[in-house]
Amino acid sequence: MPELPEVETIRLDLQKSLPGLHITDIKIVDQRILKTNAPLSFIKQIKHKTFDAVIRRGKMLIIPFKEGGFLLVHLKMTGQLIYGEKLTLKETKIVFCLSNGKYLNYNDQRLFGRLSFVPQLQEEPFLKMIGPEPFTDDFNHGWLSVQLKKRRIPIKTLLMDQHFIAGIGNIYASEILFDAKISPKKKSDRLSRSEINALHQATIRVLKEAIRFRGTSMRNYRDSNGEKGSFINRIKVYNKENKPCPVCSFEIKRIVQAGRSTFYCQRCQQIHAKTAKYI
DNA sequence: AGGTCGACCTGGCAGC
DNA sequence: TGCTGCCAGGTCGACC
C-alpha cells in the first residue's frame, strides 16, 4: 500500500531524525526481509555506520551512509519503518539500535518488503528501470504525450507501471483518473490533448495533496511515528464500490484490470467524455 | 515485443 | 464455534 505519498511522508520525517545517528547494533528477526545480503554480511557492512540522509525514488527509500554505501528499503505492501522507543511487535523483522538510544524498526506483516545494503546505486536494477518522478521537470506535458502514444494498454495499468512513471500504485491510479475525469479503460494512445493535460495536472495535484495529508492508511500503512495517514478521508473512489460518486452521486463501479481492482465513476469518467473539467 | 498473470506472504473476513 | 478459501496489492519473472 505504501505508494509515493506514504513513502515521501516517511522520508520527510526520517530526514529530520536519522542523519548524524549511527547504528550501534542490528537484530535480524526474519532474514527473508534481506534481499541480496546474507544476514552476517548485512550486519557487518552497516554496523557502526552513520546515516547521512534519507532519499526517495519512486516507492523506494534510499539511505546513504557517511562512510559510503546505501541502505535500500522497499516497503512493498505491509512494510513499516518506525522510529522511536523500543517497541518490538510480532511484525518486527529487523531492529536497528541507534546511537541516541532510540530504535528504527522494520515491521512487515506479509514479508513482501525488502531491505538491502549496496555499495553503490548505479547497478541497482530497480533504479535503472524506473520512470521519472512526478514532481520533476522530466514529467511534463510533452514527455507524457510522446510516451502515451507508444503504449496501447489501459491508462490505469500504465499509470501503475514503474517503468513508465515512478511511485503510483493501485490507490492513486484510481484517484488520479477520477480527478482527471478519464476512464481507466481508455487505451493510453487514445488520450486526447486535453485529457493528457488533465492527467498531468491531476497526477501532481492528487499526489501533493496526499503528501499534505500524510498518506492513505487502508490497513497497514503507518508513518515513521506509527501514525495513520489522513488522506483516507479525502479518497473519492478507491474501495468505494456501490457508494455514490462525490461529484455526481452515480454509483461507483469496481472492475479488475491486470489482476487489480479499479474503482471509477462511469458517469464522470466516460470514455467519450469530450470535456474534462479541471480546476 | 507487448501485455497479462501467478508467485511471493499473512491476516481478516465471509460463508458454511 | 471453527474451518475453508478468498482477497488485499508491489514487483518480478514466466508465459502467451
Side-chain angles (χ1 to χ4, degrees):
Chain A
M1 310 233 180
E3 303 180 31
L4 188 151
E6 291 75 34
V7 181
E8 180 65 8
T9 299
I10 292 168
R11 187 196 75 78
L12 286 166
D13 286 351
L14 291 181
Q15 174 64 36
K16 292 176 195 157
S17 336
L18 293 189
L21 297 177
H22 64 264
I23 298 168
T24 57
D25 203 4
I26 301 149
K27 291 187 180 66
I28 297 171
V29 181
D30 195 323
Q31 65 183 64
R32 283 176 291 179
I33 291 299
L34 296 178
K35 196 181 174 188
T36 47
N37 314 95
L40 286 177
S41 149
F42 180 78
I43 292 172
K44 193 180 162 192
Q45 288 186 98
I46 65 172
K47 196 169 173 178
H48 304 308
K49 283 194 170 163
T50 310
F51 293 121
D52 197 21
V54 185
I55 301 165
R56 179 189 58 74
R57 184 77 174 89
K59 301 171 193 168
M60 185 180 272
L61 283 167
I62 304 166
I63 306 179
F65 292 108
K66 278 200 164 66
E67 298 83 357
F70 304 84
L71 176 65
L72 304 182
V73 183
H74 202 306
L75 305 170
K76 293 279 180 83
M77 312 280 290
T78 53
Q80 304 172 342
L81 213 42
I82 309 284
Y83 169 78
E85 310 304 321
K86 189 169 194 172
L87 179 65
T88 309
L89 305 170
K90 188 183 163 197
E91 298 81 28
T92 302
K93 305 303 177 190
I94 297 184
V95 179
F96 298 92
C97 310
L98 308 175
S99 52
N100 61 352
K102 294 197 173 183
Y103 297 83
L104 183 66
N105 280 2
Y106 180 79
N107 301 341
D108 200 335
Q109 181 193 86
R110 289 173 65 183
L111 291 165
F112 276 17
R114 290 294 178 263
L115 266 68
S116 58
F117 173 84
V118 294
Q120 51 195 5
L121 297 178
Q122 287 86 338
E123 293 306 309
E124 199 49 38
F126 183 82
L127 298 174
K128 277 168 95 168
M129 67 78 167
I130 195 168
E133 287 289 324
F135 301 147
T136 62
D137 294 342
D138 298 349
F139 178 65
N140 56 58
H141 184 94
W143 176 87
L144 195 53
S145 305
V146 172
Q147 298 304 316
L148 288 171
K149 292 287 175 267
K150 293 181 184 171
R151 305 296 294 272
R152 293 183 178 184
I153 57 172
I155 184 63
K156 153 66 162 41
T157 308
L158 185 62
L159 279 181
M160 290 179 62
D161 184 348
Q162 303 301 297
H163 299 80
F164 174 68
I165 180 167
I168 298 171
N170 208 36
I171 297 173
Y172 294 104
S174 281
E175 291 299 310
I176 288 167
L177 289 172
F178 176 77
D179 194 78
K181 307 230 182 294
I182 297 169
S183 167
K185 293 193 252 185
K186 192 151 190 173
K187 299 280 189 286
S188 306
D189 63 341
R190 305 304 296 249
L191 265 64
S192 69
R193 192 180 167 79
S194 65
E195 283 175 325
I196 294 170
N197 197 36
L199 179 63
H200 179 235
Q201 306 279 321
T203 301
I204 295 169
R205 181 165 52 233
V206 170
L207 295 177
K208 283 205 168 161
E209 170 124 326
I211 293 170
R212 195 156 69 84
F213 287 88
R214 303 186 59 79
T216 305
S217 295
M218 281 294 164
R219 293 185 186 190
N220 294 280
Y221 167 70
R222 296 292 183 275
D223 65 23
S224 66
N225 305 308
E227 305 286 335
K228 293 184 177 187
S230 65
F231 193 72
I232 181 111
N233 302 319
R234 307 184 81 84
I235 288 283
K236 307 268 176 48
V237 290
Y238 183 81
N239 213 20
K240 293 193 186 288
E241 186 180 16
N242 298 332
K243 300 229 168 81
C245 165
V247 171
C248 76
S249 300
F250 205 74
E251 210 169 69
I252 290 167
K253 195 170 158 64
R254 171 185 177 270
I255 55 171
V256 175
Q257 295 179 289
R260 299 284 176 262
S261 289
T262 301
F263 300 87
Y264 74 111
C265 171
Q266 281 177 291
R267 190 179 283 172
C268 292
Q269 296 168 265
Q270 286 178 50
I271 290 242
H272 299 295
K274 275 279 178 196
T275 50
K277 201 174 108 191
Y278 10 94
I279 303 139

